[in-house]
Amino acid sequence: MSDFDPSEFRARTHRAQAAMAKHGLAGLLLTTEPDVRYFTGFLTRFWESPTRPWFVIVPASGDPVAVIPAIGAPLMARGWISDIRTWRAPDLTDDGVSLLIATLTELCPGPVGIPMGHETHLRMPLADFAKLQAACDVTSDQGMMRGLRMVKSDAEIALIRQACNIANRAFDRVPEIAGVGVTLADVFRRFQMICLQEGADWVPYLAGGAGTDGYDDVISPASDQALQIGDVLMLDTGLVHRGYFCDFDRNYSIGPPSDAAAAAHGRLIDATEAAFEIARPGATAADLFHAMDHVLTGGSGGSDAGRYGHGLGMQLTEWPSLIPDDHTVLQEGMVLTLEPGIETGGGRMIVHEENIVIRDTGAEYLSRRAERHMVAL
């Protein structure tokens, strides 16, 4: 379970209930891992199995109620939730939906919100959701969960900072594992080992690439390509510490960087700094995009990657997106990535990423700010 004090979850519940009152909702229904964990602290890798649905109800008053498979009851009971209702799952006839409907009918005499907007999904069978809709007044949560989770508490920020510190130490050790003749696949394997050695609980995300003066994409799994002089190696990690992610990358040159690679890296640092300088309450996600894009393209609108950063927390990527059309207003406590990218020619690019938190007077780095020069291996 989460190591937060119960007061953290009670505060989240009270904020949700205030928002429910504003939107006229009798309750919230949550079905996904991060939303369930946000109110309960229920931290487990068992979500990797798609077999069983899991539900948490936040009523308009009172504590949340868990409606979950019996296999999860002992772990849920270690946290602060006392009302835990279970069924024996999997049940091919009624996999918890009748118990869910009965609980909602009891606790929520009115419309029940469920996240329905961008970056949400429904983690229950559609056939069961149809039964739920027929029996209960299910509607949109009006972006409530997105708004709640965007602003992090001091306790959450501390865990993200620790995740970043673990990654900082792992990146410092890349010279131990990467060099001429080492395959990208070996670098990936060894880097994940280093992350675990430095304190990561697990490393669910690692991407990167390598090539002359840059790489052609930033999401591929590692290949057996051997590193060569003149390559730029990038590693982008989303390791987890106590249920919270970091998400930033570092670029390395195999041998001295070329003039083109060094210049591109320097412009990425400049772009990151431009966004960092204006990242404060009242600015918008779009403002940060335009600050970086002005440095990189003169303001022509970015690249095919689509955005220059995003929110970060219990998920690798969260709301908002740093794009021209996202006018989300920054608030104190929001954690963001700044992720500009630049083309270096021949279909190649270099991407740089940092993690920051918005404070009342400006931004603060959570990742250790990269140097302007590219580290040579």
Side-chain angles (χ1 to χ4, degrees):
M1 293 293 288
S2 167
D3 47 8
F4 290 143
D5 187 85
S7 61
E8 172 84 11
F9 299 110
R10 290 195 173 93
R12 296 177 186 183
T13 300
H14 293 157
R15 287 195 297 270
Q17 289 168 336
M20 279 187 265
K22 178 181 177 181
H23 292 290
L25 295 176
L28 277 176
L29 172 61
L30 307 168
T31 64
T32 64
E33 189 276 338
D35 286 348
V36 166
R37 177 155 52 95
Y38 184 77
F39 288 106
T40 66
F42 187 70
L43 178 60
T44 172
R45 298 297 301 275
F46 201 63
W47 289 88
E48 298 292 346
S49 167
T51 302
R52 298 168 176 86
W54 304 76
F55 309 107
V56 162
I57 300 163
V58 183
S61 62
D63 292 343
V65 174
V67 182
I68 61 174
I71 196 172
L75 178 59
M76 184 67 77
R78 293 176 197 165
W80 79 291
I81 300 298
S82 59
D83 192 342
I84 303 169
R85 308 182 187 191
T86 67
W87 77 97
R88 187 174 180 177
D91 185 323
L92 302 185
T93 302
D94 181 356
D95 215 12
V97 67
S98 294
L99 180 59
L100 175 64
I101 290 170
T103 306
L104 284 170
T105 301
E106 173 193 340
L107 298 176
C108 305
V112 175
I114 188 169
M116 292 186 177
H118 285 94
E119 301 191 12
T120 69
H121 67 276
L122 181 68
R123 196 187 180 279
M124 65 181 294
L126 284 177
D128 285 353
F129 186 63
K131 294 176 184 177
L132 178 64
Q133 288 178 304
C136 300
D137 183 4
V138 179
T139 186
S140 170
D141 77 336
Q142 304 297 318
M144 186 189 312
M145 281 303 303
R146 183 175 74 197
L148 290 169
R149 286 181 48 200
M150 270 199 309
V151 178
K152 273 65 177 179
S153 68
D154 288 342
E156 291 180 289
I157 293 167
L159 291 183
I160 298 170
R161 185 190 302 278
Q162 290 181 53
C164 289
N165 287 338
I166 292 167
N168 287 333
R169 296 194 297 270
F171 280 125
D172 287 344
R173 294 179 59 186
V174 168
E176 299 176 16
I177 62 172
V180 175
V182 181
T183 68
L184 194 58
D186 278 344
V187 172
F188 272 44
R189 293 187 190 99
R190 294 173 186 175
F191 185 74
Q192 290 177 84
M193 294 177 190
I194 288 174
C195 289
L196 295 172
Q197 290 170 355
E198 292 296 339
D201 295 328
W202 60 87
V203 189
Y205 182 80
L206 177 62
T212 304
D213 290 344
Y215 24 86
D216 60 6
D217 80 86
V218 294
I219 64 171
S220 291
S223 70
D224 289 325
Q225 162 193 348
L227 298 176
Q228 304 176 32
I229 294 291
D231 281 351
V232 173
L233 164 69
M234 186 272 283
L235 295 170
D236 180 3
T237 187
L239 62 80
V240 170
H241 174 72
R242 299 293 190 265
Y244 281 79
F245 278 88
C246 70
D247 178 23
F248 62 100
D249 73 12
R250 290 295 179 259
N251 289 278
Y252 304 86
S253 174
I254 308 303
S258 68
D259 290 344
H265 190 264
R267 285 177 69 189
L268 290 172
I269 299 299
D270 291 343
T272 304
E273 287 296 306
F276 179 84
E277 289 301 319
I278 67 166
R280 62 187 65 247
T284 68
D287 290 337
L288 301 192
F289 172 90
H290 290 302
M292 288 184 275
D293 192 51
H294 178 75
V295 173
L296 297 173
T297 73
S300 66
S303 68
D304 289 342
R307 63 183 182 180
Y308 284 155
H310 51 80
L312 174 70
M314 289 193 293
Q315 291 175 283
L316 180 74
T317 67
E318 297 184 354
W319 198 273
S321 288
L322 304 189
I323 58 175
D325 294 330
D326 192 335
H327 302 290
T328 299
V329 177
L330 304 187
Q331 302 175 58
E332 183 179 5
M334 289 176 63
V335 176
L336 303 172
T337 74
L338 303 177
E339 190 175 11
I342 189 170
E343 295 180 1
T344 58
R348 295 182 296 274
M349 61 181 152
I350 299 178
V351 176
H352 177 66
E353 190 171 20
E354 300 282 5
N355 297 164
I356 66 171
V357 58
I358 306 301
R359 299 300 194 184
D360 59 349
T361 58
E364 176 187 345
Y365 280 102
L366 295 176
S367 54
R368 186 197 309 141
R369 182 172 58 180
E371 300 293 335
R372 184 178 178 82
H373 67 273
M374 191 184 303
V375 174
L377 303 176

